[in-house]
Amino acid sequence: MSCPRCKHEHCVKNGKVEGKQRHKCKSCGFQFTRLTPKGYPLQLRILSVFLYCRGLSMNAIANMLSVSTPTILRWIRQFGMQHTQPPEPPEGAVVVLELDEMWHYLKKTKVVDLESFVS
């Protein structure tokens, strides 16, 4: 057993909390009850990203691995941020944005006369 904070090996028992054994590090004085790391295992995260890259949906992966869909999304985003760079347009290129949603909003609300707006 080692201290989660300083990784020192000399820890002693220090009472119980809610039925769990508490430990104290003799080096840094840190008190802890958890002996295993928090979170999901790394193998599960890697498997979820692999399955997503193979074409499975996030919902299907979440159901297979018994985790939530936002957790799968967070793992995929973390993997993407660590292993790829966001694409940048070539120098001198024009970036085209579609304002299709704005067009539908203006058409639906009829705030502006569209014929005079387009002309």
Side-chain angles (χ1 to χ4, degrees):
M1 172 179 24
S2 63
C3 176
R5 182 181 287 170
C6 70
K7 308 298 184 212
H8 194 266
E9 294 293 325
H10 191 66
C11 297
V12 294
K13 292 182 179 181
N14 192 27
K16 290 193 175 189
V17 175
E18 297 180 4
K20 295 181 182 178
Q21 181 67 53
R22 177 188 284 172
H23 301 278
K24 182 176 182 179
C25 177
K26 290 296 246 183
S27 174
C28 66
F30 183 67
Q31 295 184 18
F32 58 96
T33 56
R34 181 183 298 269
L35 298 176
T36 58
K38 291 169 73 172
Y40 292 97
L42 181 61
Q43 293 85 2
L44 191 68
R45 296 177 189 199
I46 292 170
L47 177 63
S48 66
V49 172
F50 175 75
L51 292 173
Y52 181 76
C53 290
R54 298 300 295 166
L56 263 68
S57 70
M58 286 186 282
N59 287 330
I61 297 168
N63 288 336
M64 283 174 40
L65 302 178
S66 299
V67 288
S68 67
T69 305
T71 301
I72 300 293
L73 177 62
R74 189 175 66 246
W75 292 345
I76 293 167
R77 283 183 177 165
Q78 285 173 352
F79 179 82
M81 294 297 242
Q82 291 173 356
H83 297 288
T84 61
Q85 294 180 355
E88 294 183 19
E91 195 169 317
V94 177
V95 177
V96 178
L97 299 175
E98 289 187 31
L99 299 176
D100 192 37
E101 289 82 11
M102 180 60 92
W103 176 264
H104 288 292
Y105 173 75
L106 290 175
K107 190 173 181 180
K108 185 172 79 174
T109 57
K110 297 184 182 183
V111 174
V112 179
D113 183 19
L114 291 179
E115 284 75 26
S116 64
F117 184 72
V118 174
S119 301

